[in-house]
Amino acid sequence: MSGIPPSVPPIPGHKPVLVDEVVAGLAIVPGEVHVDGTFGAGGYTRAMLGAGAGRVIAFDRDPAAIEAGPSLVPDSLKGGGRLTLVHERFSAMAEALEEMGAAPVDGIALDIGVSSMQLDQHERGFSFREDGPLDMRMSQDGPSAADFLNTAEEEEIARVIRTYGDEPRARSLAKAIVAARPLSRTGELSAVCRKVLGWHAGMKTDPATRTFQAIRIHVNAELDELEAGLEAAERSLRPGGRLAIVTFHSLEDRIVKQFLKVRSGAAPAGSRHRPAVAAGPAPTFRAVAKPVAPSEAELAENPRARSARLRTAIRTDAPSSPSTRRKAA
């Protein structure tokens, strides 16, 4: 590929969700090295460089985001080697930072889920609002959403929709999807969802929303990536380094909340009914604030921000904890 794809235009006015709060949580000191683990359209990176970061190392698994990256950050901000773009999953940041001699770093920001850039490109297949190929792959490789829906057993499709979309009629949707196979377009999947769940013009929430979310999370293994990314961030931050994570739905936020609870040593106290458990590893993080939600002003400007939550924490000087992630089957 050469040049910037026409579907990924420069958007210097783009403002990511909770950007001011993320920058405040990172407490950037001029000259520090920070990581943007989810570069996307470059909004957090621009803000971090603008706040005085001496260097930002930005990761993204989407090759289109990395290719477009140089055009999304003004030369005045990235000059002098202040910006490094890395085509890699954020879960691999610890190894990548070690290889480039940049670890440990002073701060890490993660914006979990699909980016606005991806949603707005109908040819990527993330959105039910416009017809496009049934793709949904962030990295643009591996099995697509169409591959999954056209080959998986009905029960597996129902499990994915129920687990990742919290959809009460997952079984009926899975049955209808199997009956409609083969599916190749987002419009076809949207039509199935709307027929099963009922739809009429003017509905506040499209009935396809939960199913599209669930399939996207499954295709991209997003929750596994998040769990691995949190552990990678723990290994990559210096003592006193700051972590800022923006999530967009309860499954993501629950993982972040539980990770920080465990890693900060916030285990329940013992009682005569439930004896205290033996002390675990020393806390590796200190949570610094309650989760932050977007302001009314931000919601008025960007309705997509309505479910966003920001959690921040500070790295202690304790060694990284052993992995607590589920082992792959």
Side-chain angles (χ1 to χ4, degrees):
M1 295 170 63
S2 61
I4 304 303
S7 58
V8 190
I11 42 176
H14 173 74
K15 186 175 181 180
V17 174
L18 292 166
V19 63
D20 295 334
E21 292 82 355
V22 166
V23 171
L26 293 174
I28 296 171
V29 174
E32 287 185 334
V33 177
H34 285 255
V35 168
D36 182 351
T38 47
F39 178 75
Y44 287 131
T45 289
R46 289 194 298 276
M48 292 153 76
L49 289 169
R55 183 184 183 189
V56 172
I57 303 169
F59 292 80
D60 206 297
R61 63 165 127 175
D62 188 338
I66 297 301
E67 186 174 15
S71 73
L72 300 178
V73 178
D75 291 339
S76 60
L77 292 179
K78 66 188 178 187
R82 295 178 65 201
L83 173 62
T84 302
L85 291 164
V86 183
H87 180 208
E88 185 58 271
R89 295 168 181 263
F90 63 75
S91 61
M93 75 171 80
E95 295 78 9
L97 291 170
E98 287 285 351
E99 288 177 7
M100 64 179 68
V105 298
D106 300 293
I108 296 172
L110 300 174
D111 179 1
I112 308 305
V114 67
S115 73
S116 295
M117 182 182 69
Q118 291 164 332
L119 277 173
D120 292 340
Q121 298 171 56
H122 65 87
E123 68 271 21
R124 298 294 300 275
F126 286 99
S127 177
F128 49 80
R129 299 187 187 281
E130 292 188 65
D131 185 47
L134 191 51
D135 193 323
M136 301 193 192
R137 296 171 298 174
M138 293 179 177
S139 61
Q140 300 190 36
D141 62 10
S144 67
D147 293 330
F148 168 65
L149 293 175
N150 289 326
T151 61
E153 297 291 336
E154 180 179 316
E155 183 56 38
E156 172 64 2
I157 296 173
R159 183 194 68 81
V160 166
I161 296 173
R162 179 174 57 251
T163 302
Y164 299 141
D166 196 26
E167 173 54 67
R169 299 192 62 189
R171 187 174 294 276
S172 297
L173 280 165
K175 183 177 181 180
I177 287 170
V178 170
R181 295 198 300 207
L183 298 170
S184 63
R185 309 287 297 180
T186 57
E188 295 169 344
L189 178 59
S190 297
V192 171
C193 295
R194 291 165 179 168
K195 182 176 181 180
V196 172
L197 301 177
W199 178 84
H200 60 80
M203 288 184 72
K204 186 175 181 180
T205 301
D206 193 295
T209 302
R210 291 177 173 179
T211 298
F212 270 69
Q213 170 187 289
I215 295 167
R216 188 204 80 222
I217 289 173
H218 173 74
V219 166
N220 295 288
E222 291 180 35
L223 302 187
D224 291 337
E225 174 74 2
L226 173 56
E227 290 179 345
L230 291 169
E231 293 184 357
E234 179 185 71
R235 298 196 303 274
S236 301
L237 283 166
R238 66 163 176 81
R242 285 82 66 193
L243 177 63
I245 311 156
V246 176
T247 60
F248 285 86
H249 62 76
S250 60
L251 289 174
E252 298 166 346
D253 186 57
R254 191 178 306 135
I255 289 172
V256 175
K257 179 181 178 180
Q258 183 64 18
F259 175 86
L260 293 178
K261 180 178 180 180
V262 170
R263 293 304 210 264
S264 65
S271 70
R272 63 191 180 95
H273 301 293
R274 178 182 293 177
V277 297
T284 56
F285 279 100
R286 175 169 60 87
V288 297
K290 294 181 178 180
V292 176
S295 65
E296 291 297 326
E298 181 166 2
L299 290 175
E301 181 181 336
N302 180 13
R304 286 179 178 172
R306 64 185 179 278
S307 59
R309 294 294 180 273
L310 166 66
R311 293 183 184 270
T312 56
I314 296 176
R315 185 71 166 86
T316 70
D317 59 2
S320 298
S321 299
S323 174
T324 57
R325 288 194 295 129
R326 302 183 302 273
K327 300 298 182 182

